[in-house]
Amino acid sequence: MFEKESAGQAPAHTARVQRRGVRRRQAILDAAEALLAEHGYQAATLKAIGQRAGIPTASVYHYFSDRHQVEAELLRRQARELDVLIGAALDDPELRTLRAAVDAVIDPAFAYFRQHPSCAELWFPGRQEALDELVRTFDRAQAERLWRALTERNLVTADTPRLAVQLAFEVANRLFGTAFRRSPAGDGATIAETKRLVTAYLQTYAAPGLKQHA
């Protein structure tokens, strides 16, 4: 009888430990996001993150070996949220012009960066190679998504190279970095010029009859 009770208690205990671990990881990520947004990159040390989360630094190390792991996990979370927003915008059946397609990618991203200053602190090149690779991976996936949307809707010719859209993403990403260097809230004028630049470039691949409507 006692053996059966003990066996039944073990899974319950394991489940409680797992739930506590999930809550603590979430608290650490939320604390890191808040510190990055309020005080910038230099302030978001592992010790400060633990203090903000109400978790001893020694316990933080149980979940993340260093601050770079926290940053990478936070950036992955933000990338997932951005992926959903951009996907929804590109799925809009009213999307019928190149400019609208460019807006469908840039507008949600710009709004997200403004609402999540921590994302801008991590997103742009120069923090660490792991973060830069996460951003490159995200951009490649979104470029592929945009290329499919443009070709399937005949907004660009079917033989438009994927490379063209990938390069457009690289340029836009760098100009986003410029916008957030110019202003913590993102410089709207720089984003407007980014849209013009990317649209004009993709316009060179526009399907016949659509160039004047881009």
Side-chain angles (χ1 to χ4, degrees), residues 52-145:
R52 182 66 175 254
I55 298 172
T57 304
S59 296
V60 174
Y61 280 108
H62 177 73
Y63 301 100
F64 299 96
S65 63
D66 56 37
R67 69 173 290 174
H68 298 318
Q69 283 195 352
V70 177
E71 293 163 359
E73 184 61 30
L74 179 57
L75 193 63
R76 278 191 285 268
R77 183 173 78 176
Q78 293 167 335
R80 287 192 295 269
E81 293 171 352
L82 267 173
D83 178 74
V84 171
L85 293 171
I86 293 171
L90 282 177
D91 286 342
D92 184 350
E94 298 301 313
L95 198 106
R96 296 193 179 98
T97 67
L98 269 174
R99 180 56 187 264
V102 171
D103 288 352
V105 176
I106 290 180
D107 287 347
F110 187 42
Y112 186 88
F113 282 123
R114 279 185 155 177
Q115 293 166 6
H116 300 81
S118 61
C119 192
E121 288 290 321
L122 298 178
W123 194 267
F124 304 112
R127 292 303 185 196
Q128 52 154 313
E129 180 59 28
L131 297 184
D132 291 347
E133 181 54 35
L134 284 171
V135 172
R136 287 192 292 267
T137 299
F138 178 87
D139 281 352
R140 286 193 293 267
Q142 300 308 316
E144 176 68 18
R145 171 185 271 173

Side-chain angles (χ1 to χ4, degrees), residues 2-72:
F2 294 109
E3 289 181 358
K4 289 182 180 179
E5 183 178 357
S6 177
Q9 289 173 347
H13 173 72
T14 300
R16 285 196 298 273
V17 170
Q18 290 174 341
R19 286 195 296 271
R20 183 177 65 182
V22 169
R23 288 195 298 269
R24 283 195 159 193
R25 285 180 68 90
Q26 185 68 42
I28 291 166
L29 293 174
D30 290 345
E33 186 166 22
L35 282 169
L36 286 164
E38 295 168 11
H39 303 293
Y41 186 81
Q42 297 302 324
T45 63
L46 210 59
K47 180 179 179 180
I49 291 169
Q51 289 173 340
R52 182 66 175 254
I55 298 172
T57 304
S59 296
V60 174
Y61 280 108
H62 177 73
Y63 301 100
F64 299 96
S65 63
D66 56 37
R67 69 173 290 174
H68 298 318
Q69 283 195 352
V70 177
E71 293 163 359

Side-chain angles (χ1 to χ4, degrees), residues 151-162:
T151 54
E152 289 171 1
R153 295 173 192 236
N154 297 315
L155 297 178
V156 296
T157 58
D159 61 352
T160 297
R162 285 175 167 83

